[in-house]
Amino acid sequence: MADQLDLNLLRVFDALLREGSVTAAAERLHLSIPAASRALGRLRRAMGDPILVRAGRGMVPTPFALRTAPRVRSLLDEASALISADRELAIGDLERTFTIRINDGVAATLVTAAVEATAAVAPGVVLRFVAEGSESTEALRDGSVDLDIGAGDIAAPDIHSALLYHERVVAIVRADGPLGDVRRPTLAQLCRYPHVSASRRGRGRGPLDDVLEAAGLQRRVAAVVPTSAVAAFLVASSDYIGLAPQRLAEQYGRSLGIRWFPIPADLPRIEVCQLWHARLDADPAQRWLRDTIHDALGDTGKKTS
């Protein structure tokens, strides 16, 4: 008869998929390597699948394991929330990895503050930041992402959100470039030089183009790059004009040799929010993480759903 899956076996499964190694999973769970290996054997019998298979010098998960991992992670999160619901959370003893999906423009200014604030009180916590690829809410639902931080909100009854701060887009230029000493360039001046557009979807057009078109102007987008950070590096070494989040421009402008200025147009402000699934709303550890990120930014957030 196949082994029955218990919570401890599911924890081993989760560690194996996260680490991709029996040795690393054993270290993560504070088990001996033979114990972790035996647990893998039990998992294989119970699930009817190899779970991990050899690939060169390493091991890779099977398709079944990849499909199952998010559901297992979700079950473990729910079990953790249930067990700790009536207990006081000991932050200093917390050992947990949180996966945070984050926009690159936000990451450039938020990651340092979040990591420092977390490490100061919870050295056993690991913040695992992953780049945006798809804004699908399924990653929040299945537990593969704990928090989603970025622009905008998601209208779904099972997804909660909190406003972190409002952001605005500013223009950036090389400090010693043609517009480096112009205090507040006009829209017409912004159109005299080539632009670089930051878009992970490869888009060269944005809200600024609508404003320019209404004013009878047009800019020339000469390059499209995937991130705001790459745009800033390009601007720092060229006569290109770029657009960037103001916080990023303020924090890194001087060290990169660029300066920023407000765009003389009524562009929409960006709401930067953190989102999480309803099943983690009452989880003490996740609530602490949300509060820590909020406080690290020094802004007052507001729960919106």
Side-chain angles (χ1 to χ4, degrees), residues 6-154:
D6 60 25
L7 198 58
N8 287 329
L9 270 185
L10 291 180
R11 289 194 181 98
V12 173
F13 177 91
D14 182 61
L16 288 167
L17 268 289
R18 286 178 184 268
E19 302 293 344
S21 157
V22 173
T23 300
E27 292 177 357
R28 183 187 186 95
L29 296 172
H30 305 293
L31 297 174
S32 67
I33 295 176
S37 183
R38 288 194 297 272
L40 174 57
R42 291 181 60 196
L43 281 166
R44 285 170 168 164
R45 291 191 295 274
M47 292 184 165
D49 186 86
I51 310 298
L52 290 177
V53 296
R54 285 285 175 192
R57 295 184 178 180
M59 301 185 78
V60 295
T62 64
F64 168 82
L66 290 174
R67 291 195 307 271
T68 307
R71 296 175 61 191
V72 169
R73 199 162 298 137
S74 180
L75 285 170
L76 291 174
D77 285 341
E78 291 189 42
S80 176
L82 179 65
I83 292 170
S84 61
D86 296 324
R87 297 181 183 178
E88 184 177 348
L89 183 65
I91 296 298
D93 298 328
L94 183 63
E95 293 189 2
R96 185 161 164 182
T97 296
F98 294 97
T99 300
I100 303 172
R101 183 168 61 191
I102 192 167
N103 171 278
D104 86 284
V106 177
T109 55
L110 180 144
V111 168
T112 299
V115 169
E116 289 180 349
T118 301
V121 295
V125 166
V126 176
L127 300 185
R128 177 176 173 261
F129 294 95
V130 296
E132 287 183 332
S134 166
E135 286 73 52
S136 169
T137 56
E138 290 308 309
L140 292 169
R141 291 187 176 111
D142 66 27
S144 54
V145 168
D146 296 296
L147 274 180
D148 194 342
I149 299 179
D153 204 346
I154 295 177

Side-chain angles (χ1 to χ4, degrees), residues 191-235:
C191 293
R192 291 177 189 168
Y193 302 94
H195 283 235
V196 54
S197 173
S199 169
R200 63 184 178 82
R201 296 188 179 93
R203 296 172 180 170
R205 184 178 176 86
L208 176 60
D209 296 284
D210 297 330
V211 171
L212 293 174
E213 191 174 273
L217 298 168
Q218 184 177 5
R219 65 173 179 158
R220 182 173 72 88
V221 175
V224 180
V225 297
T227 70
S228 297
V230 174
F233 288 134
L234 181 55
V235 167

Side-chain angles (χ1 to χ4, degrees), residues 156-170:
D158 59 336
I159 303 299
H160 292 184
S161 67
L163 176 66
L164 287 173
Y165 60 89
H166 285 98
E167 180 66 280
R168 67 170 175 165
V169 173
V170 297

